[in-house]
Amino acid sequence: MSDHPHGARADLWTTIDDLWKWLEADQPVRGREGLLLRMLKLSEEVGEVAEAVIGATGQNPRKGVTHTWDDVRAELCDVAITALVALRTLTPEAREVFGRHLARVADRPRGASSGDSDS
């Protein structure tokens, strides 16, 4: 994916851009459909979080405990990565768009009486 020396870590946005380039180069469906499919990938990843939580808590009596909380953490990371790659798909300024949005969310009032959600 990236030409970083063994053991060296790229920053988050360099890695996201590398993943986006790799996916774009090998995209079987392009254009508007490809864009929509990239967005739908996020729903798939969120479903995998749900599956891991159900598996970690043993909520499916037929299957029992099938996952660990480490699996849940890994799936949540996949959701975050997939969302950032989707954002990069929509704009080359993903870092700036995300940074501005995060700042707005961080500046929102907090407290039980606000009634606002985090999204």
Side-chain angles (χ1 to χ4, degrees), residues 50-65:
E51 180 181 8
V53 169
I54 289 167
T57 57
Q59 290 301 303
N60 184 334
R62 189 172 47 83
K63 294 181 180 179
V65 174

Side-chain angles (χ1 to χ4, degrees), residues 3-4 12 16 20 23 60 62 69 77 80 97 100 110 117:
D3 296 327
H4 301 288
L12 171 69
I16 294 300
W20 173 78
L23 288 168
N60 184 334
R62 189 172 47 83
W69 288 104
C77 289
V97 169
R100 286 191 304 268
R110 292 179 175 84
S117 69

